[in-house]
Amino acid sequence: MADSPASTPIDPADLDPAQLAQLVQDLDPAELQGLLGGVDGDVIDTLLRAAGPETAKQLLRKVGADAFDVSTIDPASIDPEILDTELMALLFKLTPDDRLAKAMEGPMRDLFVSEVFRRMPERLNARAAAGTDATIAWRIGRPGGGHDRYLVRIAEGKCDITQGEDGEPRVSLQMDSLTFCKLVTGNANPVMQFMSGKLSVRGDLMFAAGVTRFFDIPTPG
């Protein structure tokens, strides 16, 4: 842009993805919130999908949890490709626990959980997993009762995910969906969650203690 954002009047309705990316980079938090406060939420979702996850992360770092109130987002408006692990880590770091708990009782809960498991193979630390041949059962509590059940098989430096349970896993991990999302995004300590009773472990406890080292857990920030 020829002029600085501060000196050029901008009609939020005229924003395009490239402009949004530039404004997120250039404006301070107050200016950014003031500008985007005049833009319909569906328009912002569309712009962010087009601009990409890096713009979404920059926006979240600048304006905080209000940029994406996870308790009010319609998952149908979210392109899963933008919801990468680092963006989820930021969301779960910056969003107050009461909003997170509310979100995990709504439709965004299923999107978060399914995206974490879909992305597990790409987050596998092949070097740490070398020589490991084991199956981990994950049971993630649902708001209305019951669990989502996933099997994660680590073998030959690769990770395969299946939904459901079959056979005898080396370890079974059970927790609610909020605890799960905090753990896998680096926003909770597994030992503390186990000691507080939020994480239940059955099977090989020593192996369970090292499960997180098999994956590249993001560092929220």
Side-chain angles (χ1 to χ4, degrees):
M1 295 189 298
D3 298 315
S4 69
S7 63
T8 305
I10 297 169
D11 182 351
D14 294 334
L15 281 176
D16 63 31
Q19 281 182 305
L20 178 63
Q22 190 66 48
L23 291 169
V24 168
Q25 178 177 322
D26 292 344
L27 296 183
D28 65 35
E31 290 174 319
L32 195 54
Q33 280 189 311
L35 174 70
L36 298 185
V39 182
D40 180 81
D42 289 340
V43 173
I44 291 294
D45 290 337
T46 300
L47 289 170
L48 284 173
R49 286 200 299 272
E54 290 308 314
T55 296
K57 291 170 203 170
Q58 288 182 338
L59 175 60
L60 187 57
R61 289 187 184 102
K62 279 201 170 181
V63 303
D66 287 337
F68 308 94
D69 184 348
V70 293
S71 66
T72 63
I73 294 174
D74 176 5
S77 71
I78 299 295
D79 180 352
E81 291 304 320
I82 202 174
L83 198 64
D84 65 17
T85 310
E86 284 78 14
L87 181 57
M88 281 192 274
L90 278 172
L91 278 170
F92 279 84
K93 176 184 180 181
L94 298 175
T95 303
D97 280 350
D98 58 340
R99 284 192 190 176
L100 289 175
K102 185 177 180 181
M104 287 302 171
E105 295 174 355
M108 279 298 292
R109 179 261 181 208
D110 289 349
L111 179 59
F112 282 131
V113 172
S114 62
E115 277 303 295
V116 168
F117 281 106
R118 184 176 76 87
R119 293 175 182 274
M120 271 191 182
E122 69 189 42
R123 304 294 301 191
L124 184 72
N125 185 323
R127 178 174 295 181
T132 299
D133 188 340
T135 300
I136 306 160
W138 298 76
R139 299 177 181 178
I140 315 301
R142 298 193 60 82
H147 297 84
D148 288 326
R149 300 168 185 262
Y150 289 84
L151 285 180
V152 176
R153 171 73 186 279
I154 299 175
E156 299 180 352
K158 297 180 180 180
C159 175
D160 293 313
I161 312 293
T162 56
Q163 198 162 1
E165 289 187 7
D166 184 25
E168 292 294 328
R170 185 165 177 177
V171 67
S172 295
L173 307 174
Q174 182 170 310
M175 68 210 79
D176 62 46
S177 53
L178 179 53
T179 299
F180 169 70
C181 287
K182 282 192 167 187
L183 284 174
V184 298
T185 59
N187 284 293
N189 182 294
V191 175
M192 295 300 295
Q193 301 307 300
F194 176 73
M195 296 296 291
S196 68
K198 293 182 178 180
L199 168 62
S200 174
V201 180
R202 291 192 303 168
D204 188 337
L205 294 180
M206 292 297 292
F207 178 77
V211 163
T212 54
R213 71 184 176 87
F214 295 130
F215 299 93
D216 293 324
I217 305 294
T219 302

